[in-house]
Amino acid sequence: MRTYGRLIQMPDEASLVEAVRHLRGLGYSRMETFAPWSVEALAPRRAGRGIAPSMLAAGLLGGIGTMALQYLSAHAYPIDAGGRPLASWPAFVPAALEVTILFAVIAGVVAFFAGSRPALYRPEFNVEWFEEASRDGFLLLIHADDPYWNEHRSAHDAQRLHPLRHAEVPA
């Protein structure tokens, strides 16, 4: 039977933070935490990174592209409407603004899904007490693909954290 990792339940937020720091100090690098609310000290370092720059770039590309397209269209197909100039910039702004917002939102959604790994099924869901993470549980998962992972050593390290309980998560 393959092992996905080891799930550890800590009694409170502070002990969860301390457990993560302790395990990082030992050399573990592939861990996940689950808590009923966001634990600021454990905020993922890379979550959200890249979303804002990609939204800005896509928005600027969409807005500038739309303005350029309207300008070129006005000169390629000139319409003399009461002696107004061909390139009527105030008329171009609403369409450019809407395309800017559309491109930025699409880029943000794509960057979000590219940066995170949404999954409908994860092996830790099979652990009977995993659902406590959404109520009052502070859980820590050490992945078995961690370079420091050793089945016996990881179980021993988990036991030394004095958790409420811990269990192996089958793959």
Side-chain angles (χ1 to χ4, degrees), residues 121-130 169-171:
Y121 170 76
R122 295 178 55 137
E124 61 263 29
F125 294 164
N126 292 328
V127 175
E128 185 176 306
W129 38 273
F130 181 79
V169 180

Side-chain angles (χ1 to χ4, degrees), residues 21 30-31 35 61 71 84 96 102 111 114 117 133 152 161 167:
R21 287 189 181 136
R30 298 251 317 124
M31 297 180 286
L61 179 71
Y71 179 79
R84 295 186 187 134
L102 176 69
R117 296 178 296 164
H152 300 295
L161 296 172

